[in-house]
Amino acid sequence: MNGLPLPGTRVRIPLSDRPGDEAVVRVLAAPRRDLVRAGQLPGPLLPFADAVLVDVSCGGRMLLPGAWVDAEVLQRGTPIAPAPVGPADLRLPAVIIGSPEDCALHWGETVWPLDLGGTLTIPDAARPSPHPLSRLRRLALVAAGRREEIALTLWQGEDFEIPWQDVRLLPRAAAWFELAQVPAGMRYADAERAQGVGRAARRD
Protein backbone atom coordinates (compact mmCIF):
# COMPACT_ATOMS: atom_id res chain seq x y z
CA MET A 1 0.00 0.00 0.00
CA ASN A 2 1.79 3.10 -1.25
CA GLY A 3 1.32 6.64 -0.01
CA LEU A 4 -1.26 7.71 2.53
CA PRO A 5 -4.26 5.37 2.75
CA LEU A 6 -7.56 6.99 1.83
CA PRO A 7 -10.36 7.29 4.38
CA GLY A 8 -12.56 4.22 4.09
CA THR A 9 -9.66 1.91 3.20
CA ARG A 10 -10.16 -1.38 5.03
CA VAL A 11 -8.06 -4.41 5.85
CA ARG A 12 -8.68 -7.60 7.81
CA ILE A 13 -6.32 -8.54 10.63
CA PRO A 14 -6.29 -11.96 12.36
CA LEU A 15 -7.38 -12.19 15.98
CA SER A 16 -6.23 -15.82 16.29
CA ASP A 17 -4.97 -18.68 14.15
CA ARG A 18 -8.51 -19.91 13.54
CA PRO A 19 -9.70 -19.41 9.94
CA GLY A 20 -12.10 -16.50 9.67
CA ASP A 21 -11.34 -15.15 13.16
CA GLU A 22 -10.58 -11.61 12.03
CA ALA A 23 -11.27 -7.97 12.75
CA VAL A 24 -11.76 -5.20 10.22
CA VAL A 25 -9.59 -2.10 10.45
CA ARG A 26 -10.98 0.97 8.65
CA VAL A 27 -8.96 4.11 7.96
CA LEU A 28 -10.58 7.27 9.30
CA ALA A 29 -7.83 9.78 8.58
CA ALA A 30 -4.16 10.28 7.77
CA PRO A 31 -3.11 13.35 9.79
CA ARG A 32 -0.68 14.87 7.28
CA ARG A 33 -3.40 14.92 4.63
CA ASP A 34 -6.74 15.02 6.43
CA LEU A 35 -6.16 16.89 9.70
CA VAL A 36 -4.02 19.85 8.66
CA ARG A 37 -5.27 23.37 9.27
CA ALA A 38 -3.82 26.45 7.61
CA GLY A 39 -1.22 24.19 6.06
CA GLN A 40 -0.01 22.80 9.39
CA LEU A 41 -0.80 19.88 11.63
CA PRO A 42 -2.15 21.16 14.97
CA GLY A 43 0.28 20.77 17.87
CA PRO A 44 -1.71 18.15 19.80
CA LEU A 45 -1.61 15.86 16.76
CA LEU A 46 2.13 16.18 16.02
CA PRO A 47 3.02 12.96 17.92
CA PHE A 48 0.77 11.15 15.44
CA ALA A 49 1.92 12.85 12.26
CA ASP A 50 3.06 9.56 10.75
CA ALA A 51 0.31 7.43 12.25
CA VAL A 52 -3.12 6.56 10.87
CA LEU A 53 -6.44 7.03 12.67
CA VAL A 54 -8.59 3.90 12.40
CA ASP A 55 -11.55 2.14 13.90
CA VAL A 56 -11.73 -1.61 14.48
CA SER A 57 -14.83 -3.80 14.26
CA CYS A 58 -15.62 -7.51 14.37
CA GLY A 59 -18.81 -9.29 13.41
CA GLY A 60 -20.68 -6.03 13.02
CA ARG A 61 -19.65 -4.82 16.49
CA MET A 62 -17.44 -1.77 16.94
CA LEU A 63 -14.51 -2.72 19.16
CA LEU A 64 -12.30 0.37 18.97
CA PRO A 65 -14.05 3.46 17.60
CA GLY A 66 -10.81 5.42 17.40
CA ALA A 67 -7.16 4.33 17.60
CA TRP A 68 -3.83 5.60 16.31
CA VAL A 69 -1.90 2.86 14.55
CA ASP A 70 1.39 2.37 12.73
CA ALA A 71 1.20 2.12 8.94
CA GLU A 72 2.36 -1.51 9.28
CA VAL A 73 -1.14 -2.44 10.43
CA LEU A 74 -2.48 -1.62 6.96
CA GLN A 75 0.52 -3.05 5.15
CA ARG A 76 0.24 -6.40 6.94
CA GLY A 77 -3.54 -6.65 6.77
CA THR A 78 -5.55 -8.23 3.97
CA PRO A 79 -7.25 -5.53 1.84
CA ILE A 80 -11.03 -5.65 1.44
CA ALA A 81 -13.59 -3.34 -0.16
CA PRO A 82 -13.57 0.21 1.26
CA ALA A 83 -16.43 1.62 3.36
CA PRO A 84 -17.40 5.31 3.55
CA VAL A 85 -16.33 7.48 6.49
CA GLY A 86 -18.60 10.23 7.78
CA PRO A 87 -17.80 13.24 10.01
CA ALA A 88 -19.29 11.49 13.06
CA ASP A 89 -16.80 8.66 12.64
CA LEU A 90 -13.82 10.87 13.54
CA ARG A 91 -13.37 10.09 17.23
CA LEU A 92 -9.81 10.76 18.26
CA PRO A 93 -8.18 9.04 21.25
CA ALA A 94 -6.66 10.93 24.15
CA VAL A 95 -3.12 11.01 25.54
CA ILE A 96 -1.39 12.73 28.44
CA ILE A 97 1.38 15.21 27.68
CA GLY A 98 3.91 16.69 30.11
CA SER A 99 5.01 15.88 33.64
CA PRO A 100 2.99 15.38 36.84
CA GLU A 101 3.87 18.98 37.69
CA ASP A 102 2.68 20.42 34.38
CA CYS A 103 0.55 18.23 32.14
CA ALA A 104 -2.54 18.19 29.99
CA LEU A 105 -4.98 15.72 28.50
CA HIS A 106 -4.83 16.01 24.72
CA TRP A 107 -8.08 14.59 23.35
CA GLY A 108 -7.49 14.80 19.63
CA GLU A 109 -7.00 18.50 18.92
CA THR A 110 -8.55 19.64 22.20
CA VAL A 111 -6.36 20.39 25.21
CA TRP A 112 -7.57 20.00 28.80
CA PRO A 113 -5.20 21.08 31.64
CA LEU A 114 -4.59 18.41 34.27
CA ASP A 115 -3.87 19.50 37.82
CA LEU A 116 -2.11 16.50 39.30
CA GLY A 117 -0.25 18.55 41.88
CA GLY A 118 2.94 16.71 41.00
CA THR A 119 1.73 13.71 43.00
CA LEU A 120 0.26 11.28 40.46
CA THR A 121 2.41 9.13 38.23
CA ILE A 122 1.42 9.19 34.57
CA PRO A 123 1.41 5.63 33.19
CA ASP A 124 3.74 5.05 30.25
CA ALA A 125 0.79 3.69 28.28
CA ALA A 126 -0.85 7.12 28.49
CA ARG A 127 1.99 8.67 26.50
CA PRO A 128 1.49 9.30 22.78
CA SER A 129 2.60 6.50 20.50
CA PRO A 130 0.63 4.67 17.80
CA HIS A 131 -0.25 1.01 18.21
CA PRO A 132 1.72 -1.59 16.22
CA LEU A 133 -0.25 -4.54 14.87
CA SER A 134 0.57 -6.78 17.85
CA ARG A 135 -0.80 -4.27 20.37
CA LEU A 136 -3.84 -3.44 18.27
CA ARG A 137 -4.71 -7.14 18.10
CA ARG A 138 -4.48 -7.47 21.89
CA LEU A 139 -6.64 -4.39 22.41
CA ALA A 140 -9.25 -5.75 20.01
CA LEU A 141 -9.35 -9.06 21.90
CA VAL A 142 -9.80 -7.22 25.21
CA ALA A 143 -12.56 -5.08 23.71
CA ALA A 144 -14.25 -8.25 22.40
CA GLY A 145 -14.23 -9.79 25.88
CA ARG A 146 -11.62 -12.39 24.94
CA ARG A 147 -8.82 -11.42 27.30
CA GLU A 148 -8.29 -15.07 28.31
CA GLU A 149 -6.78 -15.61 24.85
CA ILE A 150 -3.99 -13.14 25.53
CA ALA A 151 -0.68 -14.04 27.13
CA LEU A 152 -0.24 -13.30 30.83
CA THR A 153 0.05 -9.51 30.73
CA LEU A 154 -1.93 -6.55 32.02
CA TRP A 155 -4.23 -7.05 29.02
CA GLN A 156 -5.78 -10.02 30.86
CA GLY A 157 -6.61 -8.01 33.96
CA GLU A 158 -10.34 -7.80 34.64
CA ASP A 159 -9.99 -4.11 35.49
CA PHE A 160 -8.53 -3.30 32.08
CA GLU A 161 -11.34 -1.33 30.46
CA ILE A 162 -11.58 0.11 26.97
CA PRO A 163 -13.93 3.07 26.84
CA TRP A 164 -13.69 4.81 23.48
CA GLN A 165 -12.46 8.09 24.95
CA ASP A 166 -9.56 5.99 25.93
CA VAL A 167 -6.50 7.84 27.26
CA ARG A 168 -4.43 5.22 25.45
CA LEU A 169 -7.04 2.61 26.41
CA LEU A 170 -6.14 2.57 30.09
CA PRO A 171 -8.06 1.05 32.98
CA ARG A 172 -10.47 3.53 34.55
CA ALA A 173 -9.77 6.01 31.76
CA ALA A 174 -12.85 8.02 32.69
CA ALA A 175 -11.01 9.19 35.82
CA TRP A 176 -8.48 11.09 33.68
CA PHE A 177 -11.33 12.88 31.91
CA GLU A 178 -12.82 13.79 35.28
CA LEU A 179 -9.46 15.14 36.48
CA ALA A 180 -9.24 17.22 33.31
CA GLN A 181 -12.78 18.49 34.00
CA VAL A 182 -14.12 17.31 30.66
CA PRO A 183 -17.91 17.60 31.09
CA ALA A 184 -19.55 14.24 31.67
CA GLY A 185 -21.06 12.78 28.53
CA MET A 186 -19.24 15.18 26.20
CA ARG A 187 -18.65 13.75 22.73
CA TYR A 188 -15.52 14.52 20.78
CA ALA A 189 -17.39 16.75 18.31
CA ASP A 190 -18.77 18.71 21.29
CA ALA A 191 -15.26 19.14 22.67
CA GLU A 192 -14.07 20.51 19.32
CA ARG A 193 -16.89 23.05 19.27
CA ALA A 194 -16.24 24.05 22.88
CA GLN A 195 -12.59 24.83 22.14
CA GLY A 196 -13.03 26.04 18.56
CA VAL A 197 -10.61 23.50 17.11
CA GLY A 198 -10.68 20.57 14.72
CA ARG A 199 -13.69 20.49 12.43
CA ALA A 200 -15.16 23.46 14.31
CA ALA A 201 -12.26 25.61 13.06
CA ARG A 202 -11.73 23.97 9.68
CA ARG A 203 -13.18 25.49 6.54
CA ASP A 204 -12.83 22.88 3.83
Side-chain angles (χ1 to χ4, degrees):
M1 188 174 297
N2 297 322
L4 298 174
L6 292 172
T9 298
R10 296 190 303 166
V11 300
R12 293 190 184 276
I13 60 169
L15 294 180
S16 72
D17 294 334
R18 296 191 298 275
D21 188 18
E22 300 171 316
V24 174
V25 177
R26 178 179 63 158
V27 173
L28 302 179
R32 289 191 187 278
R33 182 195 57 226
D34 304 316
L35 302 178
V36 295
R37 185 152 41 89
Q40 295 186 347
L41 194 61
L45 300 184
L46 286 175
F48 304 104
D50 298 317
V52 182
L53 181 65
V54 303
D55 60 22
V56 181
S57 59
C58 181
R61 175 187 170 200
M62 185 60 67
L63 299 180
L64 302 173
W68 293 110
V69 301
D70 289 332
E72 65 140 357
V73 169
L74 302 170
Q75 295 161 357
R76 294 175 60 186
T78 302
I80 59 174
V85 172
D89 295 326
L90 290 180
R91 292 174 284 187
L92 283 71
V95 295
I96 299 173
I97 303 293
S99 66
E101 293 76 25
D102 182 18
C103 63
L105 176 75
H106 286 194
W107 186 16
E109 292 186 49
T110 70
V111 177
W112 304 82
L114 272 170
D115 183 9
L116 304 184
T119 59
L120 291 182
T121 300
I122 300 170
D124 288 341
R127 301 300 191 176
S129 68
H131 300 302
L133 178 59
S134 59
R135 192 161 65 202
L136 185 68
R137 175 186 165 275
R138 293 197 299 271
L139 287 166
L141 285 169
V142 172
R146 295 168 54 183
R147 64 187 76 219
E148 72 281 354
E149 298 180 42
I150 305 169
L152 296 176
T153 68
L154 65 88
W155 308 91
Q156 276 194 339
E158 285 302 319
D159 62 349
F160 190 87
E161 303 165 358
I162 304 184
W164 74 263
Q165 48 185 36
D166 55 26
V167 193
R168 298 294 298 149
L169 311 179
L170 288 174
R172 298 171 294 281
W176 291 102
F177 278 75
E178 292 168 6
L179 284 170
Q181 298 184 30
V182 178
M186 176 172 270
R187 299 171 304 160
Y188 182 66
D190 299 328
E192 286 183 321
R193 283 192 290 272
Q195 295 195 6
V197 299
R199 287 158 291 181
R202 211 168 277 127
R203 297 291 181 267
D204 295 334

